[in-house]
Amino acid sequence: MNLNNTLQTAKDLLGMHLVHDTPEGRIVGRIVETEAYLADDPAAHSYRSRTKRNEPMFGPAGKAYVYFTYGMYYCMNIVTNKQDVAEAVLIRAVEPVKGIDIMRKNRGEMKDKNLTSGPAKLCIAMGISKQQNEVNLIDSQSLLRIEQGKKHSDTIVTTTRIGISKAVEAPYRFYLKESRFISKK
DNA sequence: CGTAAGATGAAG
DNA sequence: TTCATCTTACGG
């Protein structure tokens, strides 16, 4: 995984595992959908200016950028590229692999298909919030981290991003075609 | 099945 | 006012 190439990293993350060791136990999700946000990208949080919220995007690659949005949700990115080149990959969906009972509890009454099929849903299910902001996801000692998943030969679909109004035509969204846990067709 | 509204806070 | 969202309510 070359973290200096954001678009490549977005694809490489598909099939990898997002692991969170919580007091209630280990939660693992298989990443099945991502979006890339680049430095020269009007849709990126970092495009206009450096703020308290988007600060982690300007830092070194491999750290988490967890942001608060719509007044009530958190979404998680992995920061990519060099210091001061503010880029990141948004994790948009995962498949429950381990700790699904904890996920169900975190999400409340909810069909399994909806547990983790969206950037805010998966953060609720996996217990990710402001506390995990700037955690080093590459460090195997971190409670929240990225690990190699089982090798896959699934088809990667490339398409346009969701929920944005600028740069809507950029093909920066990637997902595994066979997964049932995609946020939206 | 589909579309629409509302919740609620940071940033422009 | 808009926003890298989600859930519920309501119409067909």
Side-chain angles (χ1 to χ4, degrees), chain A residues 45-74:
Chain A
H45 285 166
S46 52
Y47 184 69
R48 288 179 177 278
S49 63
R50 191 166 178 150
T51 65
K52 182 147 191 173
R53 182 172 75 157
N54 66 31
E55 177 73 24
M57 288 186 73
F58 292 83
K63 288 193 175 188
Y65 165 43
V66 181
Y67 68 88
F68 186 62
T69 191
Y70 291 102
M72 61 182 87
Y73 296 117
Y74 291 97

Side-chain angles (χ1 to χ4, degrees), chain A residues 4-91:
Chain A
N4 282 344
N5 184 333
T6 301
L7 290 172
Q8 187 59 46
T9 297
K11 287 181 268 192
D12 290 347
L13 283 169
L14 297 175
M16 296 185 78
H17 286 174
L18 182 62
V19 181
H20 194 191
D21 283 321
T22 72
E24 298 167 300
R26 176 167 295 181
I27 308 175
V28 181
R30 177 174 180 255
I31 299 171
V32 295
E33 179 180 349
T34 60
E35 282 179 2
Y37 287 88
L38 306 184
D40 185 20
D41 179 358
H45 285 166
S46 52
Y47 184 69
R48 288 179 177 278
S49 63
R50 191 166 178 150
T51 65
K52 182 147 191 173
R53 182 172 75 157
N54 66 31
E55 177 73 24
M57 288 186 73
F58 292 83
K63 288 193 175 188
Y65 165 43
V66 181
Y67 68 88
F68 186 62
T69 191
Y70 291 102
M72 61 182 87
Y73 296 117
Y74 291 97
C75 299
M76 199 203 103
N77 296 253
I78 176 167
V79 174
T80 53
N81 220 324
K82 296 174 285 198
Q83 271 291 338
D84 298 320
V85 182
E87 304 194 333
V89 175
L90 173 70
I91 310 297

Side-chain angles (χ1 to χ4, degrees), chain A residues 104-121:
Chain A
R104 290 197 188 103
K105 184 159 151 275
N106 287 344
R107 291 276 290 143
E109 203 63 30
M110 190 62 62
K111 292 198 168 167
D112 283 357
K113 198 176 69 167
N114 293 326
L115 278 179
T116 54
S117 54
K121 296 182 197 174

